[in-house]
Amino acid sequence: MWLHDLLEGKIEQQRQRMERLLQKYGDFKLGEFQLRHLLNGMRGLDLLVSDVSYVDPIDGLRIRDLSVEEVLKKLPRTQGNEMPLAGGVYFLGLIGEIPTLDEALKVEEEWRRRSDLPYHVADMLRSMPQDTHPMVMFSQAILALQSRSEFTLQYKNNLRKVDYWRPTLMDSLNLVSKTPAIAAAIYNIKYLKRDLVPPSQTSDWSSNFAYMIHKDWDEQFKELCRLFFIIHSDQGIGNVSGHTAWLVNSALSDIYFSCSAAINGLAGPLHGRANQDTLEWLLGIIHEYGSCPTEEQLEGYIWDTLNSGKIVPGYGHPVLRHTDPRFIAQLEFSQKRFEEDDILRLVKMVYKIAPKVLSEHGKTRNPWPNIDAISGSLLYHCGIKEYDFYTVLFGVGRVIGITINLVWARALFAPLERPQSITLDNLEQRIGQFAE
Ligand code: NMX
Ligand code: MLT
């Protein structure tokens, strides 16, 4: 397969690079960690290695060392579209080079011919109770595809460790190709109560989602899908969903097991669910004041949110210490296209006022907006009003980056992850004090 051929030489180079580092510098001290790191969720510790992407505290996400702005500018797009093809970001992350239009289209073609959703997955989704959370449906649908895992099949047949990445790449292509169809099935079953639409054999991967939810006519939404999936595709491997997948996969559980688990982590309000919570919070403000509030009213509302012990959704970040460039990319997208939208006007007002209030409040280390501070508003403007669905779309994008990382994890023999856990007694003994 052409992607295997392209990847093979690169993997060999990286294996030698890692081997050399380990042999020569295995004892090199990279840093120290303190007791506080054990108790603060390991914030600030460099503990994972992946060349696919990196999150800089100030500049934000870099995929293969390209900033979000560069990714959106340099990746190829088809004629008449401003937003690039998701096939391009897959190629970039996997191979480490900016693809030509032909290469991005070839990835899209690989996906298209694998994009059908098996009957048993659609049947399972239909049979779930109406009040099932869409992220449960998403996670279960991914898990239900596990019976098709190439990795697990070949592993049973004495697959050699040096070759683990090969079927993992097939699993990545197969799963990524089907995530828009899974999301569309959830949307059609749960909200539209309409029949499922088989994937189009002409649309690109991102806009195929629009096609399958009966929105093929909506060019603006299709452009939004392209932007949305690309900017959600990766964010290093330390975030909750990425790291969950990485950990599960380290036990050689295949990509389906790993991504299903990742989606469960993404569903949390401190992670991907923040896009839903933000929209709900913004609608609450509009409901309270009848339309956009004044700046004074908004400031009061934000203080009320904080004083009642709640978080301001979409603000703060475990790594970033400045405005998330993925927020900026979406803001620019909306400014060009629908500046007059009330909710988007409110998003901009919040951006003006919340950082000041959060700084004064003094708790968060980062008072600036993250990707979720605006993403739901764009979907809402484009007619996707069912906000408990938004995190599913986050996940559709994220499966791209996660599975690329897992291909590389297998290629570079990422070991079983198994940190030691210690007791508080251990801790106190080590620092020479005993519990009172
Ligand atoms: N509103 C109110 N309080 C906040 C906020 C916020 N937006 N952000 C952080 N804090 C609080 C945080 O709860 C913590 O309080 P406590 O000591 O009582 O536990 C304190 O500030 C210090 O937190 P940080 O070290 O700044 O942030 P941390 O790394 O722990 O958490 C988030 C990062 C993203 C979980 C946190 O900023 C947050 O809860 N934000 C709102 C939810 C959100 O937008 N999540 C989406 C993140 C992006 N994503 O897509 O996953
Ligand atoms: C993400 O996109 O995964 C979020 O920004 C959370 C993170 O980076 O930890």
Side-chain angles (χ1 to χ4, degrees), residues 55 234-235 239-241 271 317-319 324 326 371 394 398:
V55 180
D234 208 337
Q235 176 82 342
N239 61 77
V240 168
S241 49
H271 193 13
H317 198 274
V319 177
D324 190 335
R326 301 170 301 172
I371 190 167
F394 189 147
R398 188 51 60 88

Side-chain angles (χ1 to χ4, degrees), residues 173-193:
L173 286 167
N174 285 331
L175 176 57
V176 172
S177 67
K178 293 183 193 318
T179 49
I182 296 175
I186 295 169
Y187 196 74
N188 282 320
I189 292 168
K190 189 172 171 68
Y191 308 105
L192 300 186
K193 317 230 182 307

Side-chain angles (χ1 to χ4, degrees), residues 210-339:
Y211 172 85
M212 287 182 278
I213 61 160
H214 313 269
K215 271 173 84 67
D216 196 38
W217 52 271
D218 190 342
E219 292 302 327
Q220 183 161 272
F221 180 59
K222 290 200 261 186
E223 280 287 77
L224 175 60
C225 287
R226 294 185 186 103
L227 170 73
F228 191 98
F229 294 139
I230 286 180
I231 62 171
H232 283 83
S233 68
D234 208 337
Q235 176 82 342
I237 209 66
N239 61 77
V240 168
S241 49
H243 188 202
T244 301
W246 184 273
L247 170 68
V248 173
N249 192 247
S250 84
L252 301 186
S253 295
D254 59 51
I255 266 182
Y256 300 95
F257 284 123
S258 309
C259 287
S260 174
I263 294 302
N264 299 340
L266 189 66
L270 299 189
H271 193 13
R273 189 195 151 117
N275 58 11
Q276 159 186 346
D277 292 346
T278 302
L279 206 265
E280 246 179 305
W281 184 74
L282 294 171
L283 289 176
I285 298 176
I286 295 206
H287 185 255
E288 171 99 3
Y289 299 103
S291 64
C292 262
T294 62
E295 289 189 4
E296 242 182 349
Q297 285 169 327
L298 180 60
E299 184 166 338
Y301 195 94
I302 297 173
W303 274 114
D304 287 349
T305 301
L306 291 169
N307 291 337
S308 62
K310 294 190 195 126
I311 52 175
V312 177
Y315 279 72
H317 198 274
V319 177
L320 296 177
R321 293 295 174 259
H322 198 32
T323 300
D324 190 335
R326 301 170 301 172
F327 171 87
I328 298 289
Q330 296 175 91
L331 189 64
E332 287 173 359
F333 181 94
S334 71
Q335 270 168 344
K336 271 193 197 166
R337 291 169 176 81
F338 30 82
E339 201 160 16

Side-chain angles (χ1 to χ4, degrees), residues 356-370:
K356 188 171 66 101
V357 175
L358 282 164
S359 299
E360 238 177 89
H361 183 244
K363 258 187 160 187
T364 174
R365 288 180 177 80
N366 171 36
W368 300 103
N370 60 58

